[in-house]
Amino acid sequence: MATVTFDKATRVYPGSTKPAVDALDIEIADGEFLVLVGPSGCGKSTSLRMLAGLEDVNGGAIRIGDRDVTHLPPKDRDIAMVFQNYALYPHMTVADNMGFALKIAGVNKAEIRQKVEEAAKILDLTEYLDRKPKALSGGQRQRVAMGRAIVREPQVFLMDEPLSNLDAKLRVSTRTQIASLQRRLGITTVYVTHDQVEALTMGDRVAVLKDGLLQQVDTPRNMYDKPANLFVAGFIGSPAMNLIEVPIADGGVKFGNSVVPVQRDALSAATDKTVTVGVRPEHFDVAGPDSDLGVAVTVNVVEELGSDAFVYGTAQIGGEAKDLVVRVGGREVPEKGSQLHVVPRSGETHVFSTSTGARLSD
Ligand SMILES: Nc1ncnc2c1ncn2[C@@H]1O[C@H](COP(=O)(O)OP(=O)(O)OP(=O)(O)O)[C@@H](O)[C@H]1O
Ligand SMILES: [Mg+2]
């Protein structure tokens, strides 16, 4: 087992001037499950491939435990990788697929068999060991790919979107299995996904990347409660946080007819006349059409989830039409076309600088 350190690790692809990964700094603890998340092209796979030794590092360093592995070939890094296209060998049984790396490494047959059986037990694959991959479901194949990594007993697991070939339901159950398996094995894991729900549910910590730059690395709770900037605020959470540019008022911010108190420090740190306030859909106080609270929202669409519902509506804020998402109770669902009045719940707002995007509130 080992820690993993990205120490200002940079990758500039040949022919490009802009780094695909720019001075990435993350320290991953021994046994930690770290998720790299961000939109397509932000540098997730490149970061993982640098750690795997599949991509040159053009600046900074990468360490596994105390070893500087920056320029070591992949085979000397003691890592195992699970890819999106896990490409099992079709002509080999599940057992042979799982034991293949050990066979290549010259491990004797009895020991391979023992390790494969152990891994199969952990992954609930024992009864499939003699089958060929084509006779397995997608989820079972995915577990075989995991098994192939587990039998090598590496110091670090690397996974690049390993669930993206599975259907939505299987993805949810398999992500729980992978997370609990990782916890049981205690092997330091770096996991890449573009899916922020997957990131929040699986990771001990989550690292958000954008354009090759690390935006924030934090626990899922902190990532949700205290996003460091406007990008993270809009990226983490579904439906996304409402981000609304509002004028600064005495003691707070002006939100339609209401002044919403926000932290004094946040406003004194603001350099603009406005700030951008973030409000999660579940953090609005909602009143009926007769209220003069906050702003009036005209309901466009209601998404009913049973326990609650998301109202997608439009409000006039600062002379412009602004789309808002508001969560309401499942039994208090408004009609399409009707009006609600909403005001952000005091203490649940996030304040960001409109010009820099940086978080101003605690
Ligand atoms: N071999 C390559 N040569 C040149 N540029 C590359 C190469 N591989 C990736 N890039 C560029 O580097 C950037 C980061 O790519 P990367 O594959 O790391 O993104 P990603 O976050 O994994 O995206 P996705 O979610 O789509 O898999 C992108 O702009 C991509 O076009
Ligand atoms: Mg990728």
Side-chain angles (χ1 to χ4, degrees), residues 13 20 39-46 161 194:
Y13 283 108
S40 182
C42 70
K44 305 180 293 293
S45 296
T46 303
E161 310 234 10
H194 63 270

